Amino acid sequence: MDQPQNGQGAPQINGAVKGHSTRRASGPATQIPHALEIIHNPRSSNALRQEASLYLEDIKSDNEAPYHGFALASEKSQSAVVRHYGLSLLEHAIRHRWIDYTSEQSALLRGWILNLAQSVADDEPLYLRNKIGQLWVEVAKRSWVLEWLDMDQLLVQLWEGVTAQKELVLVVLETLSEDIFGHEDTAAGLRGTELNKACVEIFTPARVLTEHFPSREISINASVDALYALYSRTRFQEDDFRDLVCPMYGSKIINLLQHLYEWTIVDVNDLDEDKYLLSKKFSEMVFNIGRFLEERPALIPQDSDLSSFFNLLLSILRNQSLHVSIPILHLWTKLLKSASISNLTFVAAVTGDLLEVCSQRLLKYEALPEDSTMPSIVFLNEDVDNIPERHAFLGNYSRFCNEIVGIIVQKQPFDALYHILGQADQVLSNLFEGEPAFQGKKAAVLLFYTGSNASKVRTYTKNSIPLLRLDAQFTVVEAALKGYARWMSNQAPHHNHEQDVMNGNLQTWCERLLGLTFEDPLIKQRVIQLAGELATGPLKRNPGFVLKVFEFTLRTHCSEEPNADTYNDAVKDLQNYCSHQLQKLAMKFPDYLINVYNELETKLNEVFTDTTLDAHNRVRYSSVLFIITHRASTVDAKLRETRLDGFLQPTIGEWQSTELSNALSSFGGFCDVIGLSHMQRYFTERAVHNIQDWPAHSLDDEGLSLRAQMQDAFEVS
């Protein structure tokens, strides 16, 4: 088609022929720029501005408006504002009057748009080039595949041009795919089926990825964007699903996707930001393809290469970037919940790999320093720049991992649990590997100290790598126990030999764990936490095991060390957790514990004698016997009353004491009770009201002493 230049030789549009009225043709050519100048001139009066606006609105309904629009938009000597208005005249004609045009008139209008696209230059404003791309899309939605059959060829020809033309091609492909598949676009919706099929013909990966364009990366970006938009669509008619979705599970396509994914992997030490963004977009695109397996499994062809597809999912899941892997992690939670998918042999073959990845990824990343060289942390810092967003993301990631572990164990309880316990044994055997501050003394005894106790506790950290390793693996075990509990709740009430064997193995494994020796207070706490989950979970009907966990918790303690604040804080955390766990067990199993009440009372007295519990924890430990007595169903009523009264009398006596009454009779006495009597003098002497940066000022010796006195006073009170 010979395209008109600046309207020369233009055919009729709705009966108007360019040139039939020189006065009319030349009028808008000068009046439109003048009206735009009035509108954008801050000195124009409101009346003039309103008159100009009405003129520009009225000209849109003129039969010759498309020609005027093309003439203004193609005249590069005009200002960008004028040219943009010219494009808006063309847009109005396409959107609102296309149906009134004859085939010759619509072909002419399409030719003008192509002419504008072929003349875009690198130095033109981006918003003008994008507007031309949008006009191309508006025409395509109305005439592509009908009378316009060579659009893909024209796009390829345009791609051979300057950079601005390449960018225009990308705008066209992305906008067109979004309007057809992603948005509820009226024009595209009227021709949904034929546009769907046309899109897949030009967007198919085999064609896109094998074309040797001048810039492979740009073409890959375009293909991924197009595929993402295509498969983000939430609804497909059955024929469209078979034509557009099912081919993606074929061996050739999956092989191409695998190679494309491998190409997008970036080096964390030499981060290519564009390629990294592409990698994340690719993962989201694969998620969109994979979710159809769960949503419409009955339409998936029998000859689909799902084994290779699941291996592709595993490859992406193992990516060192958590943001790249999380869409696939989320996808696995969907696939494993689908009965038709999770029961496939292909899925069963990868469950071990899934458990391994989830075990590694349940590490508490938020506990690692931001300057860590761990690749996942480096990527995380690149992706997230604020703490709330970081915690929210990591919380979702952890939730998906826990969910996957639980689902797998629920469906394959025995194989999965044995696998997970085996992983835990491996972690325990290599807990301190590569960590000089920890040393395995012998296979079953792991010690915290390697040298002087004092030197080690002074450099103690609450987020040591061994602790994080242990916590991650124990979190996996706890997630598995939840899945195992769901499986048990669905079993028939009659005797289940396999379940008894599994419970016996769980008990043996936990008793072996309790036999290990750890000196890190927080590792001890984590062991007690897991043992408590077993005691209150699958082994809750085993009184002997419950008593073992109770006694282990009761005798677990660490001593505080001088000049080791962080370590001593961990010791207090351990004491607090142990007292809380004892109370929890006492409330849940009072009838088990009442049978050994006297022995427990003796052991509690030994704990009070042998350890340095603070007053608060002494009360909490003592309350354990109160809880057992109060809640046990087999205690004689008179004996219960006598014991409970014995617990209450000391507290009643303290509140009725003369010393406390005198202390609370004045404000000064109250300050003495809670340790604040010397604080005002201390603050005044140090002029604390002048301190601007509190974290930069450490407490002196007197301040440390006052803080200790105040803490002791609070614990006693």
Side-chain angles (χ1 to χ4, degrees), residues 362-406:
L362 277 169
L363 189 71
K364 286 185 177 177
Y365 293 98
E366 59 269 31
L368 294 171
E370 290 190 11
D371 59 353
S372 170
T373 58
M374 180 182 289
S376 293
I377 296 296
V378 177
F379 280 121
L380 190 62
N381 292 336
E382 176 72 19
D383 293 316
V384 183
D385 58 2
N386 64 80
I387 299 299
E389 184 180 346
R390 186 187 187 98
H391 281 301
F393 172 80
L394 291 174
N396 285 332
Y397 201 99
S398 177
R399 177 169 57 86
F400 290 145
C401 287
N402 277 288
E403 195 172 349
I404 288 172
V405 173

Side-chain angles (χ1 to χ4, degrees), residues 19 48 57 65 68 84-85 118 128 140 200 267 271 282 292 294 299 346 382 417 419 550 575 612 625 665-666:
L48 278 176
E57 189 64 30
H68 296 312
H84 188 271
Y85 178 79
Q118 291 161 359
L128 288 181
V200 81
D267 183 357
L271 190 61
F282 179 86
F292 294 116
E294 179 256 343
L299 296 180
F346 306 127
E382 176 72 19
L417 269 175
H419 180 88
F550 189 92
Q575 291 176 348
T612 56
L625 295 177
S665 63
S666 66

Side-chain angles (χ1 to χ4, degrees), residues 468-532:
L468 294 177
R469 288 173 182 165
L470 186 81
D471 176 76
Q473 191 58 51
F474 281 10
T475 301
V476 176
V477 175
E478 288 163 350
L481 293 178
K482 291 178 181 177
Y484 184 53
R486 290 195 295 269
W487 175 82
M488 288 195 299
S489 66
N490 294 325
Q491 300 307 300
H494 60 75
H495 186 74
N496 188 318
H497 176 69
E498 285 186 319
Q499 183 176 327
D500 290 342
V501 171
M502 188 71 248
N503 288 348
N505 288 329
L506 285 172
Q507 179 178 347
T508 300
W509 182 85
C510 188
E511 289 175 349
R512 190 167 68 249
L513 173 64
L514 298 181
L516 300 178
T517 300
F518 302 99
E519 296 300 331
D520 185 329
L522 295 185
I523 290 182
K524 287 187 175 186
Q525 177 179 322
R526 197 63 183 86
V527 170
I528 290 172
Q529 181 180 346
L530 178 57

Side-chain angles (χ1 to χ4, degrees), residues 207-219:
R207 181 172 300 177
V208 173
L209 297 180
T210 54
E211 288 289 346
H212 297 290
F213 291 138
S215 174
R216 183 188 182 201
E217 184 166 348
I218 294 179
S219 63

Side-chain angles (χ1 to χ4, degrees), residues 6 128 187 273 469 537 571 596 602 617 623 628 657 670:
N6 295 337
L128 288 181
E273 293 187 4
R469 288 173 182 165
V571 171
V596 291
T602 301
N617 274 307
S623 70
I628 295 171
S657 69
F670 172 74

Side-chain angles (χ1 to χ4, degrees), residues 445-613:
V445 181
L446 304 175
L447 298 178
F448 170 61
Y449 303 116
T450 59
S452 165
N453 285 4
S455 64
K456 295 306 174 186
V457 298
R458 280 198 295 269
T459 58
Y460 177 81
T461 174
K462 288 187 175 183
N463 295 318
S464 66
I465 295 300
L467 174 60
L468 294 177
R469 288 173 182 165
L470 186 81
D471 176 76
Q473 191 58 51
F474 281 10
T475 301
V476 176
V477 175
E478 288 163 350
L481 293 178
K482 291 178 181 177
Y484 184 53
R486 290 195 295 269
W487 175 82
M488 288 195 299
S489 66
N490 294 325
Q491 300 307 300
H494 60 75
H495 186 74
N496 188 318
H497 176 69
E498 285 186 319
Q499 183 176 327
D500 290 342
V501 171
M502 188 71 248
N503 288 348
N505 288 329
L506 285 172
Q507 179 178 347
T508 300
W509 182 85
C510 188
E511 289 175 349
R512 190 167 68 249
L513 173 64
L514 298 181
L516 300 178
T517 300
F518 302 99
E519 296 300 331
D520 185 329
L522 295 185
I523 290 182
K524 287 187 175 186
Q525 177 179 322
R526 197 63 183 86
V527 170
I528 290 172
Q529 181 180 346
L530 178 57
E533 292 292 330
L534 283 161
T536 57
L539 304 181
K540 62 185 177 183
R541 293 185 175 85
N542 187 331
F545 179 75
V546 172
L547 290 175
K548 283 184 179 179
V549 173
F550 189 92
E551 292 176 4
F552 179 84
T553 306
L554 183 60
R555 69 172 185 265
T556 297
H557 67 277
C558 289
S559 299
E560 295 188 15
E561 298 287 342
N563 303 319
D565 289 346
T566 304
Y567 177 79
N568 291 338
D569 285 343
V571 171
K572 291 178 180 178
D573 289 342
L574 173 63
Q575 291 176 348
N576 291 335
Y577 187 82
C578 287
S579 61
H580 169 75
Q581 186 75 341
L582 290 171
Q583 290 177 327
K584 179 180 176 181
L585 294 172
M587 286 188 284
K588 192 169 184 65
F589 304 109
D591 288 338
Y592 291 172
L593 299 171
I594 196 67
N595 296 322
V596 291
Y597 183 89
N598 293 332
E599 292 90 331
L600 293 179
E601 187 174 27
T602 301
K603 290 179 179 178
L604 272 171
N605 290 330
E606 292 174 356
V607 170
F608 292 157
T609 302
D610 297 339
T611 61
T612 56
L613 290 175

